[in-house]
Amino acid sequence: MDPNPPFFTTYKALLDSQPHSSDIDQTVIAEECELPIIDLNCLNGKHHEEQCKRDVKVAASEWGFFQVVNHGISNSILDRLREVQFDVFRQPFQKKASEKLLDFSPENYRWGTPRPTSLKQLSWSEAYHVPLPPSTDVTKASPRHIIEEFSTAMLRLAHQLVGILAEGLGGYDGTYIKENCTRNTCYLRLNRYPPCPVKTGVFGLIPHTDSSFLTIVRQDQVGGLQLMKDGRWITVKPNLDALIVNIGDLFQAWSNGVYKSVEHRVMSNPQLERFSVAYFLCPSYDTVIRSYAEPAIYTKFSFGEYKQQVQEDVRRTGHKVGLSRFLAQSA
Ligand SMILES: O=C(O)CCC(=O)C(=O)O
Ligand SMILES: [Fe+2]
């Protein structure tokens, strides 16, 4: 039975329609590049520590994206999570959409884009959004156990990066972010991008910014992740030893625009399926986000208000407006 969501039938009219404007973006403009790469081992030696921290901050403000190696997430955890991802996504589509599989519920299963009106709004992918509730008794080697192990390691890494990024921003040390972004307020997304042989330039995931403080992504060797840099789309060269870190909207607001939450997207591949996993460092909904600096570019808002506004905008207009909804009057 077919594991793929019914993209061809659902989107037939759109696929048969006019050329996709992003064909041009992908074939002409997107060059492949190596993102800034930070060796976290350098944090252990006094000598390179300060330089390493500076590199993180520069990358977060100039790129909004960087890679980390020697990040402390073992290959064993990454491989086991990948196996879980294979197992669940290779199930028939009908089952994913209607049954609990391994530890994944149909309510948390997403595919495509609801009611796209143009090819530009189409995401050729499927995903499980994985909330991380307080752990109950989980058997070792169960998918839930692997997810717990992975997210514990990711939280540690995310907090370490927050500590570095927050240092020097007006006397804050990131404690506020760390206290409000705990293991249960964060979540994972397991992504699968089936091949899209019908048309080039179809998005695996439409251009967006993340609503998190930070996102940490593990992509496989297929590639396709692109980010906006100086007005151009750039393809991130896959590096299996590295994790990709990007700044989310909340960090941009909190840092008063010092760190950039940049647009990124995934291009589909005509032959190859692609897998990725993203860990979102998010606070509880009642956490208030306010900039440390004066004058603040954004008004203060709670994470709940932010999410609600994003949802409302997506429902009404088909796309996320994001932080510009919260600009302070004087900005
Ligand atoms: O699949 C990727 O490489 C990126 C995923 C992503 O941007 C997201 O899930 O927000
Ligand atoms: Fe993203």
Side-chain angles (χ1 to χ4, degrees):
M1 284 230 280
D2 191 0
N4 293 331
F7 293 119
F8 296 104
T9 46
T10 314
Y11 302 134
K12 184 166 185 338
L14 278 182
L15 292 166
D16 290 345
S17 69
Q18 293 312 297
H20 188 7
S21 62
S22 76
D23 283 358
I24 307 159
D25 293 358
Q26 190 197 23
T27 50
V28 184
I29 304 170
E31 49 186 287
E32 197 172 54
C33 83
E34 193 90 59
L35 279 181
I37 190 153
I38 316 278
D39 182 350
L40 293 182
N41 264 353
C42 293
L43 292 173
N44 303 327
K46 263 274 152 280
H47 197 52
H48 298 293
E49 188 185 355
E50 289 312 313
Q51 184 60 44
C52 178
K53 289 178 173 177
R54 266 197 302 276
D55 291 346
V56 170
K57 292 178 203 174
V58 168
S61 59
E62 290 182 0
W63 289 75
F65 261 86
F66 55 94
Q67 305 180 87
V68 289
V69 291
N70 294 313
H71 42 65
I73 320 287
S74 72
N75 280 335
S76 148
I77 299 185
L78 294 170
D79 291 347
R80 279 180 290 146
L81 185 63
R82 208 170 143 70
E83 287 302 315
V84 170
Q85 231 173 325
F86 286 159
D87 287 351
V88 69
F89 281 121
R90 297 219 166 125
Q91 301 274 340
F93 165 72
Q94 283 308 338
K95 281 194 165 193
K96 289 182 280 199
S98 61
E99 288 174 29
K100 185 162 192 229
L101 295 171
L102 308 176
D103 268 301
F104 306 102
S105 312
E107 309 87 78
N108 296 330
Y109 175 68
R110 314 268 186 275
W111 68 275
T113 310
R115 298 177 301 284
T117 54
S118 72
L119 272 181
K120 278 176 148 174
Q121 294 176 347
L122 188 62
S123 286
W124 198 270
S125 55
E126 56 178 346
Y128 276 101
H129 174 115
V130 185
L132 302 166
S135 57
T136 44
D137 214 8
V138 281
T139 9
K140 230 175 157 95
S142 71
R144 183 42 73 172
H145 182 81
I146 293 157
I147 283 173
E148 299 260 333
E149 230 184 299
F150 178 76
S151 46
T152 303
M154 284 298 218
L155 182 66
R156 197 181 317 120
L157 173 61
H159 277 190
Q160 183 182 23
L161 294 169
V162 164
I164 296 171
L165 288 163
E167 206 175 81
L169 286 185
Y172 286 72
D173 64 358
T175 304
Y176 183 76
I177 301 177
K178 290 186 232 170
E179 278 177 358
N180 287 290
C181 300
T182 61
R183 53 169 298 122
N184 312 132
T185 62
C186 299
Y187 67 93
L188 286 184
R189 251 176 86 100
L190 303 180
N191 296 308
R192 173 176 175 263
Y193 301 86
C196 176
V198 272
K199 220 172 178 115
T200 55
V202 173
F203 295 134
L205 198 57
I206 56 169
H208 66 282
T209 59
D210 293 345
S211 300
S212 53
F213 267 105
L214 276 184
T215 306
I216 306 178
V217 173
R218 153 92 168 174
Q219 70 164 340
D220 64 14
Q221 70 293 342
V222 173
L225 174 62
Q226 299 183 341
L227 61 97
M228 190 52 111
K229 170 97 170 90
D230 303 327
R232 289 149 58 109
W233 287 106
I234 290 181
T235 301
V236 179
K237 194 171 163 190
N239 177 345
L240 289 182
D241 294 327
L243 295 172
I244 298 162
V245 181
N246 66 282
I247 299 294
D249 300 340
L250 301 186
F251 224 144
Q252 177 167 321
W254 193 81
S255 70
N256 211 28
V258 170
Y259 300 133
K260 307 287 185 310
S261 176
V262 310
E263 260 200 315
H264 53 286
R265 66 187 190 186
V266 177
M267 302 312 298
S268 63
N269 187 293
Q271 285 104 26
L272 304 171
E273 70 177 341
R274 173 178 185 271
F275 290 90
S276 71
V277 51
Y279 179 83
F280 297 91
L281 185 78
C282 292
S284 58
Y285 279 7
D286 58 358
T287 302
V288 173
I289 312 300
R290 70 154 63 86
S291 141
Y292 78 95
E294 294 285 343
I297 300 175
Y298 305 101
T299 54
K300 69 171 185 184
F301 53 84
S302 74
F303 183 50
E305 283 166 343
Y306 193 71
K307 291 287 277 192
Q308 213 175 354
Q309 185 67 56
V310 169
Q311 266 172 17
E312 203 178 303
D313 288 335
V314 169
R315 188 168 38 80
R316 286 205 356 245
T317 69
H319 67 271
K320 168 177 167 179
V321 179
L323 271 184
S324 55
R325 277 262 181 243
F326 294 87
L327 282 171
Q329 292 303 334
S330 56

